[in-house]
Amino acid sequence: MHLWTDLDQVPPGFGPSVVTIGNFDGVHRGHAEVLGRIVSLARESGSEAVAVTFHPHPATVHRPEQAPELLTGIADRMELLEATGLDAVLLVEYTLDFAQQTSEEFVRTYLVEGLGARTVVVGHDVRFGRDNAGNLATMIELGRTHGFEVRAIDDVGTVASVAVDAGAPSGRWSSTEIRGLLTDGKVREAAALLGRHHRLRGVVIHGDARGRELGFPTANLGAITGMVPADGVYAGWLRRPQLLAAAPGNCDGVLPAAISIGTNPTFDGVERRVEAYVLDRTDLDLYDEEVVLEFVEHLRPTLRFDGIEALVETMHDDVARARAILAAGAGSAGPDPDVSPAEAEE
């Protein structure tokens, strides 16, 4: 997949293309359904499948106090977009100057002249251009002027139910819904809407070494991208992208882990931290390495213990539960993909 961060990077004469526009935060199942349709349309017509997306999120520029916490950082968003089969992504830097373009200027500059759009696929509620003045009718009219077809994607449904063991959420497949689940620590339910396990990415930094002293050395994450779920302890996976890129079959590339989020209240901590203990491993040196944490299941909330002995006993129990969950295959794959598609938001 080509990733362009400026129109100047698009090859001259690029196209024809099938283009869609969106933030695609989380690249959840609704997004994947829509993007899959884009790819199919492009293949049928011998065109390129392209998504135009933005960074930072427009709300961060216009209403920073109301801006949503993003589910994924740029690296993960691009990786997930590539997995949909897109040929290219144009990642536009969203600024106040960019937002001053009229609807016609945006369409002509980016979609027509820049990407050679022959088909533009949007939702019925699409808004674009200065003050969000452009809507679906505007896009159709501009399509007539500039010679591209507009296809409006209907709402592709709601989730009546998605079987994930004891149950799963009902409602719309949207980034907003997923944020609410993660805020409550419901990572298994969030996975049903994402189509994968929720992930964080960060660099392993030095901590207090307290976990090592207790027999559970942890990888503490800094420079984190992605939405951090509710405080608590989780079963999950620690992935090592650099190692996997160099040696895809390396057995140390994906490791089972117990993940802790919180302030370490037993030690009167005040700084919220994300740290992961790789199960049964004390030999790893992960400092300064970028890793990805994937959340499979919530084990328990963060607790304050009366003493070290009670804490260590509970940590042993956490590890045993995480080991059983991951060994049983609960974290080896995402939810069943053969469920009804749902509306793609954000």
Side-chain angles (χ1 to χ4, degrees), residues 226 255 307 310:
L255 300 164

Side-chain angles (χ1 to χ4, degrees), residues 112-196:
V112 178
E113 296 175 357
L115 296 172
R118 293 285 180 83
T119 303
V120 175
V121 181
V122 292
H124 284 271
D125 59 351
V126 65
R127 302 305 293 262
F128 59 99
R130 185 186 303 155
D131 299 324
N132 275 337
N135 56 21
L136 179 58
T138 310
M139 187 68 81
I140 292 171
E141 183 60 33
L142 289 170
R144 295 193 184 104
T145 300
H146 292 288
F148 61 81
E149 174 191 14
V150 176
R151 295 204 183 189
I153 290 187
D154 293 323
D155 292 353
V156 287
T158 57
V159 180
S161 65
V162 181
V164 181
D165 291 351
S170 296
R172 305 168 75 186
W173 284 358
S174 74
S175 302
T176 300
E177 174 88 2
I178 294 164
R179 289 187 196 104
L181 291 170
L182 294 177
T183 297
D184 293 336
K186 297 179 178 179
V187 295
R188 179 177 288 275
E189 292 85 346
L193 304 188
L194 285 165
R196 58 177 175 81

